[in-house]
Amino acid sequence: MLRKIFFGAIGMLALSASPALSQNLYDPHPLAGVVDELRFGIHAHDVHHAALPFLMNEWRLNQVEDISFDVLFTSPDIDAFRWIGSPRPEVGTTINLDGQDSLLHAGLTWQLPVFDTPFYLEGTFGGAVHNGALENAAPGRKNFGCFLNFYERFGVGARLGENATATVTYEHTSNNGYCSQNDGLSNFGVRLGYKF
């Protein structure tokens, strides 16, 4: 059932973009002005339990079985967004291909260039829903506690050309102890992007 929700949400996202696509089929960048970047990624699943895992020797990188798809929208040209640093709204999903926990997330993404180089630092904050258990999870699955959890993502990336990006990311979801269970889920990998 929850898998249908994930794929339904992706379908709805694609349909919501169809009016922009139909505006001018001859326009080489029909999403320009609305969608800023599309990303696809591959990730190691459940590498650590913490939001900020400084002890990298504790990471588990043996389950490279997640894929992700993210849509980053152009930052709205309004004072409220400029006041907080012009983040880009985004929606995305991280899907586990081995029957473990998957995420559907939405949030705001800030990007900070590293001086006059093609490199940048990135941070995302928002919320995520999952297809896992709230408690009494099956072996190998998480007890998320809440259906809606916090979502954070940190990354270091580079512009590979006029339209291409690559971002190494660490994403984490948990509820900060607000529910009875709080198993954190963290994934580590790389997202390749196309900027409009």
Side-chain angles (χ1 to χ4, degrees):
M1 175 64 179
L2 288 173
R3 188 172 284 180
K4 290 180 183 178
I5 292 172
F6 276 104
F7 290 112
I10 292 171
M12 287 174 50
L13 183 62
L15 287 175
S16 69
S18 62
L21 288 171
S22 65
Q23 288 175 0
N24 185 349
L25 295 177
Y26 299 105
D27 184 348
H29 302 295
L31 298 178
V34 177
V35 174
D36 185 59
E37 186 175 358
L38 298 176
R39 290 181 177 176
F40 177 79
I42 186 166
H43 312 278
H45 181 77
D46 191 22
V47 298
H48 201 271
H49 66 276
L52 296 171
F54 295 112
L55 301 175
M56 293 182 66
N57 60 324
E58 296 179 358
W59 285 24
R60 300 175 300 274
L61 299 172
N62 60 332
Q63 296 184 79
V64 180
E65 56 193 30
D66 287 5
I67 59 171
S68 66
F69 179 72
D70 307 294
V71 180
L72 290 89
F73 298 94
T74 302
S75 183
D77 188 21
I78 57 176
D79 287 339
F81 269 73
R82 284 190 291 272
W83 187 75
I84 61 172
S86 299
R88 294 181 290 174
E90 78 158 64
V91 294
T93 184
T94 303
I95 300 171
N96 181 270
L97 301 176
D98 192 38
Q100 297 185 56
D101 303 307
S102 298
L103 305 173
L104 182 64
H105 60 83
L108 297 175
T109 297
W110 287 263
Q111 200 171 83
L112 178 66
V114 178
F115 304 110
D116 192 20
T117 71
F119 299 101
Y120 55 83
L121 304 176
E122 189 173 274
T124 300
F125 183 75
V129 296
H130 55 84
N131 67 345
L134 301 183
E135 55 185 37
N136 303 317
R141 303 291 296 268
K142 295 288 186 177
N143 290 311
F144 284 98
C146 302
F147 181 65
L148 175 64
N149 289 305
F150 295 108
Y151 177 84
E152 306 92 35
R153 188 175 70 231
F154 310 99
V156 177
R159 287 178 173 74
L160 305 179
E162 185 176 332
N163 299 102
T165 65
T167 312
V168 176
T169 63
Y170 181 90
E171 67 179 0
H172 175 80
T173 187
S174 64
N175 62 55
N176 198 36
Y178 292 119
C179 296
S180 59
Q181 302 289 325
N182 186 29
D183 285 347
L185 174 64
S186 302
N187 304 311
F188 176 77
V190 63
R191 286 169 155 87
L192 300 178
Y194 179 83
K195 285 185 67 67
F196 290 93

